[in-house]
């Protein structure tokens, strides 16, 4: 497994070693020891989540705060998404900056997003199955989010805005400037 640091400290792109032959392929998608060595910290995942979405669905930008903050390891099992992480750590040199990457079943890449980040994704294929591990259990009272089109974040979703499918909850999320600061 290759661990490629992004410009956001602690956020890594993971490229697994994929062994292909006439039968298909084999890869190790997660190994706790390899992972912890690769990201340089001990992360113990306790919850797995999976979603199915159609083209144009934008989920995010979500985060958990305080003692319920979550690190995530995300990947796509079917289809393709534009995955986005936003650094919300006030002490970070990259506070308010984002990183985006195309994750797909074909490229098998994964993204590790540490605690203190918002996360979201946009489905760019006809459908997608999105899978992620969390190092902390979900807590509704600690949930927060940022509006996807915050001008300060300036995220290029590279998709026609009038074709986005966004939940009622996500379309009323605050901007970074108006979000609760509870890190």
């Amino acid at each position: 497994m290759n661990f490629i640091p992004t410009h956001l400290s602690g956020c890594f792109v993971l490229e697994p070693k994929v062994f292909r032959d006439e039968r298909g392929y084999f890869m190790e998608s997660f190994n706790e020891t390899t992972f912890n060595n690769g990201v340089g910290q001990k992360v113990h995942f306790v919850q797995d989540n999976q979603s199915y979405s159609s083209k144009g669905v934008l989920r995010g930008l979500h985060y958990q705060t305080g003692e319920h903050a979550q690190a995530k390891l995300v990947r796509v099992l079917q289809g393709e998404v534009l995955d986005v992480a936003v650094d919300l750590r006030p002490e970070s040199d990259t506070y308010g900056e984002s990183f985006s990457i195309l994750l797909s079943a074909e490229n098998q890449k994964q993204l590790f997003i540490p605690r203190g980040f918002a996360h979201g994704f946009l489905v760019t294929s006809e459908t997608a199955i999105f899978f992620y591990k969390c190092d902390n259990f979900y807590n509704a009272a600690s949930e927060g989010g940022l509006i996807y089109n915050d001008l300060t974040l300036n995220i290029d979703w590279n998709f026609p805005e009038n074709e986005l499918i966004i939940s009622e909850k996500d379309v009323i999320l605050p901007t970074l400037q108006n979000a609760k600061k509870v890190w």
Side-chain angles (χ1 to χ4, degrees), residues 146-155 174-177:
L146 302 174
I147 189 73
Y148 72 97
N149 60 356
D150 183 333
L151 296 177
T152 303
L153 299 176
N154 195 30
I155 298 168
T175 62
L176 177 62
Q177 183 177 3

Side-chain angles (χ1 to χ4, degrees), residues 2 15 19 23 31 46 59 61 113 119 132 169 175:
N2 293 324
E15 292 181 335
F19 302 94
R23 299 168 296 163
N31 175 302
V46 297
R59 296 181 185 263
L61 299 159
I113 306 158
H119 171 257
Y132 59 104
K169 180 179 100 174
T175 62

Side-chain angles (χ1 to χ4, degrees), residues 20-25:
R20 299 179 190 277
D21 64 21
E22 65 280 352
R23 299 168 296 163
Y25 73 85

Side-chain angles (χ1 to χ4, degrees), residues 3-14 85 94 98-101 110-112 114 117:
F3 291 80
I4 303 162
T6 70
H7 76 281
L8 304 176
S9 177
C11 189
F12 292 86
V13 174
L14 284 66
T94 55
S98 65
F99 173 79
S100 62
I101 184 171
Q110 300 178 53
L111 183 65
F112 173 65
F117 280 68

Side-chain angles (χ1 to χ4, degrees), residues 30-180:
F30 180 77
N31 175 302
E32 187 174 52
T33 301
T34 303
F35 178 82
N36 289 339
N37 288 337
V39 300
Q41 61 177 302
K42 184 177 167 96
V43 180
H44 179 69
F45 294 108
V46 297
Q47 181 176 323
D48 286 353
N49 298 314
Q50 185 170 314
S51 67
Y52 174 84
S53 305
S54 54
K55 187 173 191 169
V57 169
L58 192 154
R59 296 181 185 263
L61 299 159
H62 304 142
Y63 58 86
Q64 294 275 126
T65 60
E67 67 180 282
H68 299 287
Q70 293 178 322
K72 296 176 180 174
L73 178 61
V74 305
R75 67 189 184 116
V76 172
L77 302 178
Q78 179 262 312
E80 179 183 82
V81 307
L82 177 66
D83 199 74
V84 176
V86 178
D87 190 348
L88 298 180
R89 302 169 297 179
E91 74 287 350
S92 173
D93 291 340
T94 55
Y95 173 79
E97 293 184 25
S98 65
F99 173 79
S100 62
I101 184 171
L102 281 175
L103 300 177
S104 70
E106 186 176 318
N107 71 23
Q108 299 288 353
K109 292 180 181 180
Q110 300 178 53
L111 183 65
F112 173 65
I113 306 158
R115 291 181 180 196
F117 280 68
H119 171 257
F121 66 91
L122 168 67
V123 178
T124 58
S125 54
E126 288 306 309
T127 60
I129 298 175
F130 189 81
F131 178 86
Y132 59 104
K133 297 179 160 307
C134 299
D135 78 333
N136 209 349
F137 296 105
Y138 172 77
N139 179 279
S142 300
E143 184 177 31
L146 302 174
I147 189 73
Y148 72 97
N149 60 356
D150 183 333
L151 296 177
T152 303
L153 299 176
N154 195 30
I155 298 168
D156 182 4
W157 293 98
N158 198 25
F159 200 86
E161 190 160 5
N162 65 329
E163 294 179 27
L164 294 175
I165 303 166
I166 306 170
S167 73
E168 290 180 25
K169 180 179 100 174
D170 286 354
V171 81
I172 60 168
L173 290 172
T175 62
L176 177 62
Q177 183 177 3
N178 296 323
K180 48 183 178 172

